[in-house]
Amino acid sequence: KLLAIATMAPYFIMCALTTLIVRCRELLVCSWLAGHLLNEVLNFVLKRTFKEKRPEGAPAVGFDEHGMPSAHSQFMGFYFAFSCLQLLLRVENTSVLYKALAVAFNFALSAAVCYGRVELGFHTRAQV
C-alpha cells in the first residue's frame, strides 16, 4: 500500500505547484508547471507513437491503454531533474549536507514511483 501511495506523488506535486502559483505567482513556479504540462503533451505523443500495450493483467487506468512511456515515471524524471537543478544552481546559503539530503529524497521518491508502477503491475520495466 505504501507503493500505491508513492505512485500518487505526481498528483500531490501538481497540487502543490498549483497552490504555489495561486499563492505566490512566481515565474519559476509557473515555468516549472509549464514544463510539467509540456512533458505531459510529450508523453501523449510518445504513447501514440509507440502504442505499446500495458502488461497482461494490468489494472484498468481509464482511457489510456498504452503503457509506453509511463506518464508517472516521466513526470518524476522531469520533477527530479528540475528540482535538483534548481536546488544545486539557484539555492544559496544552504549547507552541502542539506542539498545532498534534498537530492537523495527526490531521488528516492522518484525511484519509489518508478518501482511502484512496475510492482503494482501498471507497466513493465522497459516501459518505465
Side-chain angles (χ1 to χ4, degrees):
K1 296 197 183 223
L2 187 58
L3 282 178
I5 293 170
T7 62
M8 298 299 290
Y11 299 108
F12 301 142
I13 292 168
M14 286 302 284
C15 288
L17 287 175
T18 304
T19 302
L20 279 172
I21 287 173
V22 170
R23 174 85 168 79
C24 301
R25 295 181 188 92
E26 290 186 15
L27 184 58
L28 174 67
V29 181
C30 290
S31 63
W32 197 348
L33 181 62
H36 275 301
L37 295 177
L38 287 173
N39 192 39
E40 288 299 314
V41 170
L42 175 64
N43 184 270
F44 182 84
V45 170
L46 290 174
K47 281 187 184 241
R48 270 69 192 163
T49 301
F50 295 131
K51 296 181 180 176
E52 188 173 316
K53 298 288 183 193
R54 292 180 181 273
E56 193 66 36
V61 288
F63 69 91
D64 198 359
E65 75 274 4
H66 302 303
M68 173 69 172
S70 165
H72 286 74
S73 299
Q74 186 175 329
F75 179 99
M76 292 308 293
F78 179 82
Y79 166 78
F80 177 71
F82 194 94
S83 63
C84 288
L85 285 173
Q86 293 306 310
L87 180 68
L88 297 174
L89 300 177
R90 293 182 53 115
V91 175
E92 298 173 354
N93 301 325
T94 303
S95 72
V96 175
L97 177 63
Y98 172 77
K99 289 182 179 184
L101 288 173
V103 168
F105 173 78
N106 284 333
F107 178 78
L109 180 60
S110 298
V113 170
C114 294
Y115 177 75
R117 298 306 288 174
V118 174
E119 188 66 26
L120 295 171
F122 289 100
H123 298 283
T124 64
R125 285 178 45 199
Q127 292 172 342
V128 171

